[in-house]
Amino acid sequence: MVFDNEDLIFGKANELIIKEVLDKIYKDTEYRVEFNTWKYSSFDYKIVDKNNKVVHQYELKSRRIKSDQYPTLMFSEYKMNYAIKEYAKNGGRYSFLWYCVEDNKILSWEWNPKLKDYINGFGQSKLRHEKAKKCIHVSTDLMTEIFF
């Protein structure tokens, strides 16, 4: 059985892997990748321009599954609410990354504020016997694979 501390270690280790991937993507650009190390940060990575303006934020969800195991992948509704509020205040772009370790794939979905292409629903970790929580479900058909 997997417990919260193991999940935290698993997620933090994968955050470092994805930081390297994002660093490669933005390497020869005018942007830099900032990694948010605070345990309760709203999004894990910020892409910052030469004027220190945050232009894109990424949230990583690490999953112990194959990328095609389910028709949708989910994240906490809290994260979507954060993106909506931040967009209203500051604009920018907001993307969600799923690192599926069983087949070593990264899937990406960028939220489009003009299009509701996700489903509000519920989700839970059955391994931890959690109560269902409000979640956002995104079809894997809408995701792009990031090759690394």
Side-chain angles (χ1 to χ4, degrees), residues 16 21 24 32 35 38 40 49 60 67 71 74 121 134 137:
L16 297 173
V21 171
K24 287 178 187 174
R32 72 179 185 277
F35 177 39
W38 186 50
Y40 300 108
D49 71 10
L60 174 64
S67 58
M74 63 184 175
K134 290 183 178 180
H137 296 262

Side-chain angles (χ1 to χ4, degrees), residues 61 63 74-81 96 133-136:
K61 307 313 301 174
R63 299 290 187 249
M74 63 184 175
F75 59 92
S76 168
E77 185 180 71
Y78 167 80
K79 301 291 183 175
M80 180 58 78
N81 292 339
F96 296 84
K133 298 177 185 174
K134 290 183 178 180
C135 289
I136 303 297

Side-chain angles (χ1 to χ4, degrees), residues 71-75 77 80 109 116-122 134-139 142:
T72 65
L73 293 174
M74 63 184 175
F75 59 92
E77 185 180 71
M80 180 58 78
W109 174 74
K116 187 174 184 294
D117 58 353
Y118 57 89
I119 300 166
N120 294 75
F122 290 87
K134 290 183 178 180
C135 289
I136 303 297
H137 296 262
V138 179
S139 171
L142 299 174

Side-chain angles (χ1 to χ4, degrees), residues 1 18 41 46 55 65 75 77 85 89 91 102 111 117 134 137 147:
M1 201 182 271
I18 303 306
S41 60
K46 294 180 180 182
V55 296
I65 62 171
F75 59 92
E77 185 180 71
K85 288 176 187 170
K89 285 193 290 189
E102 287 296 315
W111 171 61
D117 58 353
K134 290 183 178 180
H137 296 262
F147 295 94

